[in-house]
Amino acid sequence: MTNHDLKKIAAYIHIPFCEQICFYCDFNKFFLKGQPVDDYIQGLLKEISLTMKKYPRTLETLYIGGGTPTALSAHQLDVLLTGVNELFPEKLQEFTVEANPGDLSEDKMKVLLDHKVDRISLGVQTFDNELLKKIGRSHNREDIFTTMKRLDKVGFHNVSIDLIYALPGQSMDNFSATLNDALSLDLPHYSLYSLILENKTYFMNWVRQGHLVLPSDDVAADMFDLAKERLEKNNIFQYEISNFSKAGFQSKHNLMYWNNEHYFGFGAGASGYLGNKRYKNLGPVPHYLNALNNEQLPLLEEETLSKKNQMEEEMFLGLRKKEGVSLSHFEEKFQVSYEEVFGTVTKKLLSDGLVELKNNRLFLTRKSLLLGNLVFEEFLL
């Protein structure tokens, strides 16, 4: 990795432990029981320490995800966050921790608050108990409302929830009911994801075996349109393909990704982006810890991005945002003419009605919001 002068940088910390493995999930994760969790926490803090000595930077945002960070005990969370705050003493613009309904007790919430966590991302997925069981979630509808009451009671108000649509057997009426429940919480941020079948997941195997039937693409598109309409009626507006928020509550951390800024990735299987390098850590916990026990960073692989690669990523990440890509920023960042690099493809997409150009910003049209990947591919040089 380069010791490049990075003006803005974020950090992601991965907790790969779960009390239950969801049937659709392909993230680097392991059953919590029997895992060396305490050793892993110390390994994480060591990785951060070694990295910051090598690449001293001031963080803008910090995000702890998984897996399930709140599968850790209150004591383990306290040890982790005490260490993290010592290693990153600066005031962050945003500090997010992922959580699952049902495992976020009041004592864990207080630990998070005491350690300057100011945003919670809650993995709800659906409010339908039957569907929650079908997708392998351990919580139920009542757990969601109980957790939200606890969060409000202790003083957490910047809360986002994730919802997944186009689940097995899900109907429009069922999804509409989930939207009713979600909107009744009156939250500042909502993320909506269509179910994606990933290799090496239970769901992919079941579909291949003919044991699982998913809603059609048309039904999935109708679900998304319904969600967008209902959210906007409640002054919760789309700012990225899958993300909606009230004014001022956009995820600052995720915007770092979509703005193609740099970030550290800490933990087993985590990925990072520094200078012109993308890197990925070792995934298995024993391999990850073994490297750190030998005073080495747990690097699995590293890729050097050419200027061409970086320009491609600037486009397909930036176009995910509702406001799109600033062409003047692109030219300033890469010291090239946008027209020279992407002029031809942009003209084609404009004529096809898949992008718009306004105030020197390029962005997806309503027509192409659900076809994002097809548009992004056009920017591969």
Side-chain angles (χ1 to χ4, degrees):
M1 287 175 279
T2 179
N3 204 12
H4 184 66
D5 181 23
L6 309 174
K7 292 181 180 177
K8 289 185 176 182
I9 195 159
Y12 171 78
I13 296 175
H14 189 64
I15 306 297
F17 307 119
C18 295
E19 293 187 347
Q20 186 164 328
I21 304 297
C22 301
F23 300 150
Y24 54 84
C25 181
D26 75 332
F27 295 154
N28 190 52
K29 77 285 182 188
F30 308 96
F31 281 113
L32 178 69
K33 190 174 182 181
Q35 292 291 338
V37 179
D38 295 324
D39 290 344
Y40 182 78
I41 291 170
Q42 293 307 312
L44 261 177
L45 298 176
K46 189 171 191 177
E47 183 195 358
I48 296 170
S49 178
L50 289 172
T51 302
M52 299 314 292
K53 284 175 186 172
K54 195 171 183 181
Y55 310 104
R57 295 289 178 269
T58 299
L59 286 192
E60 302 254 327
T61 64
L62 178 57
Y63 191 107
I64 302 181
T68 313
T70 50
L72 303 183
S73 69
H75 174 70
Q76 288 167 336
L77 279 172
D78 184 55
V79 171
L80 171 64
L81 295 177
T82 297
V84 165
N85 280 312
E86 287 173 357
L87 291 161
F88 296 121
E90 58 266 33
K91 180 172 173 55
L92 299 167
Q93 290 187 18
E94 182 183 88
F95 188 175
T96 305
V97 172
E98 285 183 355
N100 280 343
D103 63 17
L104 193 51
S105 58
E106 281 191 33
D107 57 341
K108 292 182 186 180
M109 292 179 192
K110 287 173 182 173
V111 169
L112 299 180
L113 271 179
D114 287 346
H115 290 290
K116 306 176 188 175
V117 175
D118 57 13
R119 185 172 182 272
I120 298 294
S121 179
L122 204 62
V124 168
Q125 320 314 2
T126 176
F127 285 78
D128 182 275
N129 284 336
E130 185 178 334
L131 278 178
L132 285 167
K133 287 179 185 175
K134 194 178 283 188
I135 65 177
R137 300 294 284 176
S138 58
H139 68 270
N140 59 37
R141 182 175 181 273
E142 187 59 35
D143 290 332
I144 301 167
F145 289 104
T146 300
T147 298
M148 289 307 308
K149 286 175 185 173
R150 285 177 182 161
L151 285 166
D152 190 58
K153 178 182 174 184
V154 302
F156 268 116
H157 305 301
N158 190 0
V159 179
S160 172
I161 62 171
D162 289 352
L163 297 175
I164 300 179
Y165 60 96
L167 294 169
Q170 189 174 38
S171 65
M172 286 296 294
D173 286 345
N174 175 280
F175 183 60
S176 180
T178 272
L179 287 175
N180 289 340
D181 282 336
L183 288 167
S184 74
L185 297 172
D186 190 27
L187 299 175
H189 192 284
Y190 295 81
S191 297
L192 281 95
Y193 303 103
S194 177
L195 178 68
I196 296 175
L197 291 174
E198 303 284 3
N199 284 323
K200 300 179 182 177
T201 61
Y202 290 106
F203 270 7
M204 179 59 91
N205 290 335
W206 294 341
V207 166
R208 284 172 175 161
Q209 294 163 9
H211 300 322
L212 198 68
V213 178
L214 303 178
S216 69
D217 289 345
D218 286 343
V219 171
D222 289 344
M223 287 179 176
F224 183 81
D225 286 342
L226 176 65
K228 186 172 183 291
E229 178 187 336
R230 297 278 300 281
L231 287 162
E232 289 183 351
K233 279 184 180 175
N234 286 269
N235 294 316
I236 301 160
F237 294 99
Q238 184 180 28
Y239 69 97
E240 189 271 345
I241 285 179
S242 302
N243 287 272
F244 299 75
S245 78
K246 294 182 180 178
F249 285 93
Q250 296 91 338
S251 167
K252 294 181 177 70
H253 181 83
N254 286 338
L255 281 168
M256 294 285 283
Y257 297 146
W258 301 319
N259 288 329
N260 203 20
E261 303 290 357
H262 298 88
Y263 55 93
F264 295 111
F266 299 116
S271 297
Y273 177 32
L274 297 179
N276 64 343
K277 307 277 188 182
R278 287 200 180 275
Y279 68 92
K280 184 172 184 179
N281 281 346
L282 294 160
V285 171
H287 297 181
Y288 170 82
L289 292 177
N290 186 54
L292 290 161
N293 288 338
N294 289 309
E295 303 299 317
Q296 297 175 346
L297 288 174
L299 196 65
L300 171 64
E301 59 189 22
E302 185 178 76
E303 177 189 7
T304 301
L305 299 181
S306 66
K307 187 174 182 178
K308 175 178 81 73
N309 298 146
Q310 293 174 66
M311 290 190 294
E312 291 170 346
E313 291 194 357
E314 186 81 8
M315 296 309 296
F316 62 69
L317 288 169
L319 283 170
R320 291 188 61 89
K321 298 177 296 176
K322 192 75 182 290
E323 65 174 23
V325 176
S326 163
L327 304 193
S328 56
H329 175 73
F330 179 96
E331 293 181 340
E332 180 185 352
K333 183 172 183 177
F334 296 108
Q335 294 296 295
V336 294
S337 160
Y338 177 85
E339 178 68 22
E340 183 182 318
V341 182
F342 291 122
T344 302
V345 65
T346 300
K347 284 174 187 171
K348 176 180 179 293
L349 292 169
L350 283 167
S351 66
D352 290 342
L354 296 175
V355 296
E356 288 183 51
L357 182 58
K358 188 176 181 181
N359 298 327
N360 210 33
R361 300 193 75 92
L362 191 75
F363 50 92
L364 297 180
T365 61
R366 180 176 177 84
K367 173 182 175 181
S368 62
L369 273 172
L370 289 170
L371 305 170
N373 287 338
L374 296 178
V375 177
F376 303 155
E377 287 171 6
E378 296 290 330
F379 288 92
L380 296 176
L381 295 169

